[in-house]
Amino acid sequence: MAVKKNTKTAFGSRKVDRIDAINALFAMLESAYPTKYKHAFSTDADRIQAMKVWTKNLQEFTPERILAAGKRAIDTVSFFPDLGDIRRLCKLCYQDIGLKEPLQAYYEACNAHPQSRDYPWSHLAVYLAARETGWLILQSEEQSKALPIFERNYSIICNRVLNGENLETSIPKGIEDGRNATLSEQAEASADQAQQILMKSQGIDPNNGKVALDQLREKLKT
């Protein structure tokens, strides 16, 4: 991997790529811990090899999160931070971006009335995670079943907040989210069955499609 010589932490308006971020991260650590930095990377070969390893192991995080982790490391890590410290600090910390922890957000979603965007949510992320999870799931399922689904959706959306991404993009369904469709289908089937029973009790043929539905509506008006 070709390591860029420019290790300044200010990149102006130029988009920061991962190599920029790793260079800047190492520059920050060298400035904050000059003696320990030289001890950790005593030669250029050591430093370049470390940069390769760190780049590979931090590739799941955006350059901006890597830089933010470096700054937090300097503020919070007592000793010279290693790769594990930086990875830990790159991971989502809800409080850092003014968001509730998943369990608190789950309770907020379960207790929200009305279940709409207009409700005074603590953050839009809670509403979007609840909507993706499904209101029926939140209201009818036990916490042990509903919380993991909600937490997955909430984590994805909160990571979007942290990365400055579009929060409204649909979330691919996880394996556990298959219950959403099943429960929704069950609820719809139950509603259809109840409607058919009501139609029969009113002397309406439920197999007559739109005409039957119109007849039922007229009867319910009276």
Side-chain angles (χ1 to χ4, degrees), residues 50-113:
M51 284 184 169
K52 291 179 180 179
V53 174
W54 287 42
T55 300
K56 179 179 180 180
N57 284 277
L58 296 173
Q59 62 184 347
E60 67 195 86
F61 304 111
T62 63
E64 291 75 15
R65 286 175 75 165
I66 294 171
L67 290 174
K71 294 174 183 177
R72 285 202 297 273
I74 293 171
D75 292 336
T76 61
V77 178
S78 301
F79 301 97
F80 185 79
D82 59 18
L83 177 57
D85 293 321
I86 299 300
R87 278 189 56 82
R88 175 176 56 81
L89 292 169
C90 277
K91 292 178 180 178
L92 175 64
C93 180
Y94 296 95
Q95 291 181 347
D96 285 351
I97 51 177
L99 291 163
K100 289 185 174 181
E101 293 291 329
L103 184 60
Q104 295 175 314
Y106 169 76
Y107 288 146
E108 179 182 350
C110 290
N111 295 322
H113 296 289

Side-chain angles (χ1 to χ4, degrees), residues 117-175:
R117 198 186 190 99
D118 296 332
Y119 180 80
W121 301 98
S122 61
H123 194 283
L124 179 61
V126 182
Y127 164 72
L128 293 176
R131 187 185 67 183
E132 288 289 335
T133 301
W135 302 110
L136 179 63
I137 299 289
L138 293 173
Q139 294 297 320
S140 63
E141 283 294 289
E142 296 178 359
Q143 180 174 317
S144 61
K145 297 178 181 178
L147 178 58
I149 301 173
F150 175 86
E151 187 170 1
R152 173 185 179 271
N153 293 329
Y154 185 62
S155 176
I156 290 172
I157 294 171
C158 289
N159 273 288
R160 290 176 180 173
V161 174
L162 193 58
N163 292 333
E165 297 172 355
N166 181 8
L167 305 187
E168 303 281 358
T169 304
S170 62
I171 297 176
K173 296 299 181 185
I175 295 174

Side-chain angles (χ1 to χ4, degrees), residues 27-38:
M28 282 190 285
L29 297 180
E30 182 178 17
S31 177
Y33 310 95
T35 302
K36 295 177 181 178
Y37 182 91
K38 290 179 181 178

